[in-house]
Amino acid sequence: MTKKFGIIGNPIKHSLSPLLHNYWFDKYKIDAKYSIIEVQDDNFSNVISDLKNEKISGINITLPYKQKIVPHLDMLVNDAEITSSVNTLYLNNNGKLVGDNTDVFGLQAAYLKEVDNAESKKALIIGAGGVSPSVILSLIKSGLKNISITNRTKEKCFFLKNKFKILNIVDWKLLKEEIKKYDILINATSLGLKNGEDFDFNFENTKNNLIYIDTIYNPLETRTLKYLKEKDVKVFNGLDMFIYQGQKSFYLWNKINPEIDQKLIEILLSKLK
Ligand code: ATR
């Protein structure tokens, strides 16, 4: 029987996850299908019972449900336990519904392995929304000791500092001035998303050897990323992070580490043009 997998989130129409996972199911000749699953009014009960009854074999969770799903699960493991942010669900051998997090791996695999002398680098995370706990943990796991965070709504920074004591909180109003102090800047806000709002200033005063990471991949280049790229700053968009988180989810479900081949990358890029 064809196994079912899927993703929940809102908005979810434009998710590339079905393309990613169905490509790999095809490549490894696994009889399975990955689809978008609509959730009405944040009601997870159908998805949860389908997982428990093994009608669905695995689910990805994206914004805004990564934290909201937690009370519906039997247990959190690994990075999900540390971040309380879940993006992958499956039933374990004891019939328990498990929440894991592959976003942390996604960020590390995509960019942070390239950071030399991580202990001496200063990072600023811009944004304290759904993806931020995973960004913080990936920086910590990569050996950074100096990690700051700023957010328009400051309370969300305090909430994260309760969990991750290492964080320094920077006032949102000082952002434009502050960015010159950092070796790594990570945009974890929704600023720059296609058809959305953007930063109301250019990132002019940055260090020459800055690394700029955008968690956004739609568009592939946000205005800020494009601006910094033209100034020869080392920039990364969110596409690699997206692919690597998917690779690890696929592994958790199928125990196959799927290859990220050129054809797959070309298909994904063609969808983002
Ligand atoms: P949520 O707020 O539900 O966690 P998210 O998509 O996970 O949603 O996160 C959105 C992030 O982008 C938040 O850091 C948000 O800042 P607030 O916490 O102050 O809302 C940030 N963001 C979105 N629009 C913004 C804007 N116009 N200016 C500054 N930050 C913005």
Side-chain angles (χ1 to χ4, degrees):
M1 210 174 70
T2 308
K3 282 186 169 183
K4 281 191 191 168
F5 295 84
I7 182 162
I8 59 170
N10 187 17
I12 194 67
K13 249 195 353 255
H14 299 294
S15 170
L16 292 179
S17 290
L19 212 151
L20 184 72
H21 287 278
N22 288 326
Y23 179 86
W24 283 327
F25 286 141
D26 208 38
K27 176 166 172 147
Y28 294 99
K29 310 225 169 350
I30 297 170
D31 184 12
K33 183 152 173 50
Y34 186 112
S35 327
I36 283 170
I37 296 173
E38 302 277 350
V39 170
Q40 302 297 329
D41 305 324
D42 298 3
N43 183 345
F44 306 118
S45 52
N46 288 347
V47 170
I48 298 292
S49 63
D50 284 354
L51 278 160
K52 291 207 164 179
N53 300 330
E54 298 182 56
K55 281 194 201 157
I56 299 179
S57 305
I59 289 281
N60 278 137
I61 318 278
T62 188
L63 298 175
Y65 299 140
K66 291 182 190 215
Q67 279 94 11
K68 285 186 187 152
I69 196 77
V70 171
H72 303 271
L73 308 177
D74 295 324
M75 58 195 290
L76 300 186
V77 295
N78 307 324
D79 293 342
E81 197 181 0
I82 304 172
T83 56
S84 310
S85 172
V86 170
N87 81 327
T88 307
L89 304 186
Y90 60 88
L91 210 61
N92 74 8
N93 292 337
N94 302 323
K96 299 282 184 216
L97 188 53
V98 178
D100 204 341
N101 171 318
T102 70
D103 291 328
V104 175
F105 169 80
L107 255 152
Q108 278 197 293
Y111 336 103
L112 295 174
K113 63 177 184 328
E114 302 201 19
V115 176
D116 302 325
N117 295 324
E119 318 76 51
S120 64
K121 296 283 195 293
K122 283 182 75 165
L124 175 65
I125 301 163
I126 306 170
V131 74
S132 298
S134 299
V135 174
I136 299 164
L137 183 58
S138 63
L139 290 170
I140 293 172
K141 284 187 151 188
S142 294
L144 273 89
K145 303 274 181 268
N146 198 321
I147 307 173
S148 300
I149 190 161
T150 185
N151 195 54
R152 177 180 62 177
T153 312
K154 203 170 193 172
E155 289 73 21
K156 290 196 196 164
C157 294
F158 294 132
F159 182 77
L160 284 169
K161 189 175 166 70
N162 258 332
K163 203 182 254 311
F164 301 101
K165 305 278 185 260
I166 192 173
L167 288 176
N168 310 303
I169 298 176
V170 171
D171 201 294
W172 180 257
K173 286 194 220 69
L174 302 179
L175 176 60
K176 188 175 176 192
E177 261 307 296
E178 280 279 314
I179 52 176
K180 62 172 178 274
K181 298 183 186 164
Y182 296 89
D183 307 294
I184 303 174
L185 293 174
I186 298 162
N187 177 25
T189 71
S190 49
L191 292 173
L193 264 179
K194 205 170 195 167
N195 307 323
E197 288 179 75
D198 216 313
F199 291 99
D200 56 8
F201 64 91
N202 282 327
F203 284 37
E204 277 161 16
N205 316 309
T206 58
K207 286 194 177 181
N208 291 334
N209 58 351
L210 174 74
I211 295 177
Y212 179 77
I213 297 170
D214 214 316
T215 59
I216 291 173
Y217 62 82
N218 193 11
L220 279 168
E221 296 191 343
T222 62
R223 202 194 64 199
T224 302
L225 186 140
K226 213 180 273 176
Y227 174 84
L228 290 171
K229 192 173 156 190
E230 277 162 17
K231 288 199 343 176
D232 280 335
V233 166
K234 205 168 178 189
V235 295
F236 298 96
N237 65 25
L239 185 61
D240 284 341
M241 175 190 173
F242 164 75
I243 298 173
Y244 281 109
Q245 63 74 33
Q247 185 188 43
K248 189 164 176 191
S249 293
F250 192 93
Y251 177 80
L252 290 173
W253 294 327
N254 304 295
K255 298 294 174 261
I256 290 172
N257 195 28
E259 190 190 0
I260 299 167
D261 57 40
Q262 200 50 38
K263 188 173 162 209
L264 171 63
I265 293 171
E266 276 162 23
I267 293 172
L268 292 170
L269 288 175
S270 74
K271 295 287 171 195
L272 294 166
K273 287 257 161 67

